[in-house]
């Protein structure tokens, strides 16, 4: 069977930890979208592993697949694999031949465009990893796929077509001199060909490339369990998120089918688990109706309205939760839990269960708030409106919950749900009731043993 892991908010919900939590019953973990803009932090036997591309299951020795919906930077991929090997692990990672390749010029163009947008306060707050430009070339039918790296003639043909176009964009659209850029070789056909043909040779030598859909279907037919792992979160889904402050792919459950080659029926017949952080964070621009404020530094698009009385509280939650981007290190914006957002996410992906993480971070507060509904132009809304402009005008209507004390969270995880403070249970049960979805797991700490498991989806 399959279990699909979906971020229900704006990313950074702790998806990697839940993949790891249920990893004992999994044979294969497949990423179905995104690239090395994703950040997974997994704690295993006291060791912390920060991954941006290798599927989280690699820490448990599971087969990892990067599906055709992913965009793959071979530099990052092999750096991560080599680092894991140096730490005594032996990751088995397969790459879809249909997955698109992030090339050096994608990263350069990503940085140029974001810098130009910053001059008019229109920046999205991307990671600068070239994700968007790669998906743009994929949609424009000028991309380079992993399978192309295996055939030198095809690779050369693809590069001779696309690289001069990118050089022209830099010189004629952005009016910049390629030779004065930090990486002028990114626009040199020969330099890119030599580097990426070598990556292709390593893919071949290590037998890493697969037809992802056929590989995963055969795995399921053999009676093995497959976990489908999304990156980012629903509210930055390019179709269902707060456009244009979105990623360039589909983190929602529908993306699990298109991004792996498995049918929607296969995905739908399995479990779909929405990962919920017990409060709300995001890195980057865009509205955030339940935002507290108090962000550090120059996070793009930050709304100053949350400064003042809530600044200290936001900074407290940020520090307690370690709310800094896994990939970028940027401080995350902080807000109360947003139920209209979660109702939207539950509908889009059809969650059969949820996992609530970081419940422990809120311990010790006198009061915990939740954005229960919105008000937009005098009308109460239970879910998110369709456009970002409408969402930006929404005012959150809050419900307040009595706080809960600090407890020995490791003991609580071992003893189970009944060991949680009563007010914490009331908070969990409110979320379950509003989403009409049971909480399969409740995270009360970063380690694998610090999660209360109420349901084994496999």
């Amino acid at each position: 069977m399959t279990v699909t892991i979906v971020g229900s908010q704006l990313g950074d919900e702790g998806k990697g930890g839940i993949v790891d939590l249920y990893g004992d019953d999994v044979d294969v973990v497949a990423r179905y979208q995104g690239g090395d803009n994703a950040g997974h932090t997994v704690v295993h036997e006291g060791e912390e592993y920060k991954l941006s591309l290798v599927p989280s299951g690699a820490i448990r020795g599971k087969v990892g697949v990067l599906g055709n919906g992913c965009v793959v930077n071979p530099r990052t991929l092999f750096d991560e694999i080599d680092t894991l090997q140096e730490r005594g692990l032996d990751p088995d990672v397969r790459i879809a031949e249909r997955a698109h390749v992030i090339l050096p010029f994608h990263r350069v163009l990503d940085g140029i465009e974001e810098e130009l947008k910053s001059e008019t306060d229109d920046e999205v707050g991307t990671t600068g990893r070239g994700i968007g430009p790669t998906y743009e070339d994929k949609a424009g039918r000028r991309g380079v796929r992993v399978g192309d790296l295996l055939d030198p003639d095809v690779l050369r043909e693809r590069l001779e077509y696309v690289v001069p176009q990118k050089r022209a964009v830099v010189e004629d659209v952005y009016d910049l001199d390629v030779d004065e850029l930090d990486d002028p070789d990114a626009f040199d056909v020969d330099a890119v060909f030599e580097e990426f043909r070598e990556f292709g040779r390593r893919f071949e030598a290590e037998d890493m490339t697969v037809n992802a859909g056929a590989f995963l279907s055969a795995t399921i037919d053999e009676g093995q369990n497959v976990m489908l792992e999304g990156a980012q979160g629903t509210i930055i889904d390019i179709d269902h998120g707060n456009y244009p402050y979105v990623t360039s792919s589909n983190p929602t459950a529908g993306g699990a089918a298109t991004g792996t080659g498995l049918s929607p029926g296969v995905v739908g017949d399995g479990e779909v688990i929405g990962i919920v952080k017990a409060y709300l964070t995001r890195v980057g621009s865009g509205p955030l109706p339940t935002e507290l404020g108090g962000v550090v530094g120059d996070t793009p698009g930050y709304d100053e309205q949350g400064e003042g009385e809530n600044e200290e509280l936001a900074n407290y939650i940020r520090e307690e939760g370690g709310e800094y981007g896994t990939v970028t290190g940027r401080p995350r914006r902080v807000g109360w839990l947003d139920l209209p957002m979660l109702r939207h996410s539950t509908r889009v992906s059809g969650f059969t269960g949820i996992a609530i993480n970081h419940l422990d971070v809120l311990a010790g507060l006198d009061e915990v708030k939740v954005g229960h509904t919105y008000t937009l132009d005098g009308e109460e809304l239970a879910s998110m409106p369709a456009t970002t402009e409408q969402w930006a005008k929404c005012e959150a209507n809050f419900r307040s919950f009595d706080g809960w004390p600090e407890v020995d969270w490791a003991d609580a995880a071992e003893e189970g749900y009944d060991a949680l403070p009563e007010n914490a249970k009331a908070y969990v049960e409110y979320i379950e009731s509003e989403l009409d979805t049971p909480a399969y797991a409740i995270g009360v700490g970063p380690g694998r043993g610090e999660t209360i498991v109420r349901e084994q989806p496999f």
Side-chain angles (χ1 to χ4, degrees):
M1 67 171 294
T2 65
V3 170
T4 302
I5 301 296
V6 177
S8 68
Q9 296 157 307
L10 291 141
D12 309 315
E13 302 97 345
K15 296 178 292 296
I18 298 302
V19 172
D20 186 59
L21 174 72
Y22 292 128
D24 276 344
D25 296 322
V26 176
D27 299 290
V28 176
V29 178
R31 274 272 306 275
Y32 58 83
Q33 47 75 226
D36 58 336
N37 57 333
H40 295 311
T41 301
V42 178
V43 179
H44 172 50
E45 295 181 353
E47 290 283 325
E48 186 175 79
Y49 299 87
K50 291 184 179 292
L51 305 173
S52 61
L53 196 54
V54 171
S56 303
I59 305 303
R60 280 187 177 267
K62 309 298 181 178
V63 176
V65 176
L66 295 176
N68 56 275
C70 294
V71 288
V72 179
N73 185 335
R75 293 175 176 174
T76 302
L77 176 64
F78 287 124
D79 281 348
E80 288 192 2
I81 289 174
D82 292 344
T83 298
L84 291 173
Q85 289 173 340
E86 289 168 4
R87 296 180 68 176
L89 301 177
D90 186 22
D92 182 354
V93 181
R94 316 294 177 89
I95 319 298
E97 292 182 7
R98 290 186 172 97
H100 279 248
V101 179
I102 299 173
L103 296 163
F105 55 75
H106 289 131
R107 294 174 66 113
V108 175
L109 289 167
D110 199 358
I112 291 172
E113 183 166 359
E114 190 74 350
E115 184 175 349
L116 288 173
K117 285 182 176 180
S118 71
E119 296 174 3
T120 56
D121 293 327
D122 289 329
E123 73 271 39
V124 175
T126 76
T127 60
R129 300 298 180 94
I131 308 301
T134 306
Y135 278 113
E136 182 181 345
D137 281 350
K138 174 180 179 176
R141 298 177 294 279
R142 55 181 173 268
V144 173
R145 303 200 292 182
V146 166
D148 298 335
L149 304 188
L150 311 183
D151 186 325
D153 293 334
V154 172
L155 177 59
R156 170 69 72 171
E157 181 182 349
R158 297 277 193 271
L159 293 175
E160 287 181 347
Y161 176 77
V162 72
V163 172
Q165 291 186 21
K166 302 305 178 182
R167 176 181 282 269
V169 169
V170 171
E171 294 176 340
D172 299 337
V173 177
Y174 295 126
D175 196 26
L176 298 172
D177 186 340
V178 165
D179 293 330
E180 293 183 1
L181 298 175
D182 290 340
D183 186 11
D185 283 348
F187 300 88
D188 183 283
V189 171
D190 291 334
V192 176
F193 174 82
E194 290 301 328
E195 180 182 6
F196 282 76
R197 177 64 189 116
E198 190 58 39
F199 289 137
R201 292 190 184 97
R202 181 167 176 182
F203 282 140
E204 288 180 300
E206 300 182 18
D207 195 25
M208 294 176 67
T209 62
V210 295
N211 179 338
F215 178 83
L216 294 171
S217 294
T219 298
I220 293 168
D221 289 344
E222 292 168 3
Q224 298 187 65
N225 290 329
V226 174
M227 182 170 279
L228 307 175
E229 178 183 26
Q232 290 90 40
T234 299
I235 311 307
I236 55 173
D237 183 291
I238 193 167
D239 288 300
H240 305 291
N242 61 313
Y243 188 91
Y245 304 105
V246 291
T247 193
S248 304
S249 57
N250 294 109
T252 43
T258 58
T260 61
L262 294 172
S263 77
V266 169
V267 175
D269 280 345
E271 298 267 12
V272 180
I273 302 177
I275 314 305
V276 178
K277 186 178 284 185
Y279 46 97
L280 187 61
T281 64
R282 80 172 300 170
V283 170
S285 305
L288 207 60
T290 64
E291 184 163 20
L292 283 164
V295 79
V296 180
D298 57 353
T299 297
Y302 173 58
D303 184 351
E304 295 290 344
Q305 73 178 32
E307 293 284 359
E309 64 182 87
N310 290 324
E311 180 177 0
E312 185 176 346
L313 177 56
N315 285 330
Y316 171 82
I317 293 173
R318 184 180 299 108
E319 293 304 318
E320 288 293 307
E323 296 299 348
Y324 296 86
T326 302
V327 172
T328 64
R330 290 183 295 186
R332 295 173 181 149
R333 296 160 64 189
V334 177
W336 294 119
L337 192 67
D338 186 318
L339 258 294
M341 177 185 293
L342 294 182
R343 295 186 190 103
H344 169 78
S345 299
T346 302
R347 176 184 56 79
V348 168
S349 287
F351 298 148
T352 58
I354 57 174
I356 302 173
N357 284 325
H358 292 317
L359 191 69
D360 57 305
V361 172
L362 299 179
L365 299 179
D366 293 333
E367 179 184 47
V368 175
K369 291 186 178 182
V370 174
H372 180 71
T373 58
Y374 299 145
T375 296
L376 174 63
D377 296 331
E379 180 183 358
E380 187 176 22
L381 303 181
S383 186
M384 290 178 64
T387 73
T388 297
E389 290 72 23
Q390 291 172 321
W391 194 37
K393 296 177 182 177
C394 287
E395 294 185 7
N397 302 311
F398 290 99
R399 286 195 178 180
S400 296
F401 293 80
D402 290 334
W404 50 88
E406 285 281 1
V407 298
D408 188 318
W409 295 109
D411 285 351
E414 185 175 347
E415 294 175 26
Y417 182 71
D418 287 340
L420 286 178
E422 288 301 316
N423 290 344
K425 287 193 287 186
Y427 187 71
V428 169
E429 288 159 15
Y430 161 79
I431 298 170
E432 291 180 305
S433 175
E434 290 296 323
L435 303 183
D436 193 23
T437 306
Y440 283 4
I442 301 165
V444 293
R448 183 181 299 158
E450 295 174 288
T451 300
I452 297 169
V453 179
R454 302 171 75 195
E455 185 75 30
Q456 291 287 353
F458 287 105

